[in-house]
Amino acid sequence: MVDLEVRREELAGRLEAVQERIRRASAAAGRDAAEVTLVAVTKAFPASDVRLLVDLGVTDIGENREQEATAKARELAGVAVRWHFVGQLQTRKARAVAQLADVVHSVDRVRLVTALDRAAADAGRRVRVLVQVSLDAPTTGASPASAGDRGGASPAQVAGLAEAIAATEHLQLGGVMAVAPLDVEPAYAFARLAEVAAQIRGEHPGATDISAGMSADLEAAVAAGATHLRVGSALLGTRPPLG
Ligand SMILES: *Cc1c(COP(=O)(O)O)cnc(C)c1O
């Protein structure tokens, strides 16, 4: 119990610091901080941390691996949170993810759209999905498979994917997501993402979500119009090694 009390204090302090960063960045951008949803990425941390964060007022939880997400969602059945799946998703894991996720941020190919739609139908759910955009510099081979290992569709593929999602019955097109590449200035990457987001919104007015920004670059993301920040280590501390 004492350990939980200590952890609660630590998480409360970290959460307050992150919220303050979001307030400052929003003010600097002339935005209302209430437009920005904080998704706490709890990968590699226990369900007890999720419970503490929810207790402290966090409403949105992100996970990047199907097995871990499934286990935590089971353990926390009945706890009112929105689950976000933010990691690269194998098609064969689509079924499990469609059962637990309210939002999937990492949809980057039509096969995955088809698999998620079918799985959502079978689960009797409607899942909001974002198109993950790769902001890596184009590779010489121009093959999507060689565009780094973070996943994501090339900007040129995004409109087609958005169309495919909008045409499904059980998925809802939420918008776009990106991870800033390591070798690109975050402000530049997020400005590019904002352009892609505006294009998609032109065709699909409901696709208002822009998921961008992590612990290190959330200010740049807020400045570029992000509606969802995926924050892990700034909230939870250094991640233990993944098993
Ligand atoms: C782990 C992860 C995050 C959080 O990263 P931090 O740097 O710890 O804030 C955000 N997005 C994705 C896709 C992740 O896998």
Side-chain angles (χ1 to χ4, degrees), residues 145-164:
S146 65
D149 55 7
R150 274 178 298 273
S154 74
Q157 296 170 320
V158 175
L161 265 172
E163 205 50 59

Side-chain angles (χ1 to χ4, degrees), residues 41 43 64 86-87 177 179 213-216 230-234 237 239:
V41 180
K43 65 186 184 203
N64 76 331
V86 304
M177 174 275 215
V179 178
M214 320 199 311
S215 293
R230 308 177 310 272
V231 179
S233 49
R239 268 186 289 283

Side-chain angles (χ1 to χ4, degrees), residues 83-94:
W83 290 98
H84 297 252
F85 191 84
V86 304
Q88 273 190 268
L89 181 51
Q90 293 167 286
T91 306
R92 66 188 172 85
K93 302 281 179 85

Side-chain angles (χ1 to χ4, degrees), residues 61-154:
I61 298 293
E63 287 287 336
N64 76 331
R65 299 204 304 180
E66 179 276 316
Q67 279 188 322
E68 186 179 348
T70 298
K72 269 181 214 166
R74 279 207 186 114
E75 190 167 341
L76 298 171
V79 177
V81 292
R82 260 189 307 276
W83 290 98
H84 297 252
F85 191 84
V86 304
Q88 273 190 268
L89 181 51
Q90 293 167 286
T91 306
R92 66 188 172 85
K93 302 281 179 85
R95 183 151 297 275
V97 167
Q99 282 171 17
L100 72 98
D102 298 293
V103 188
V104 178
H105 291 227
S106 45
V107 173
D108 61 0
R109 55 199 191 278
V110 170
R111 265 174 56 105
L112 189 51
V113 172
T114 310
L116 281 170
D117 184 46
R118 193 174 305 144
D122 291 348
R125 307 189 69 226
R126 196 166 162 80
V127 180
R128 190 168 176 93
V129 303
L130 313 185
V131 177
Q132 183 176 350
V133 185
S134 167
L135 299 172
D136 290 302
T139 49
T140 43
S143 152
S146 65
D149 55 7
R150 274 178 298 273
S154 74

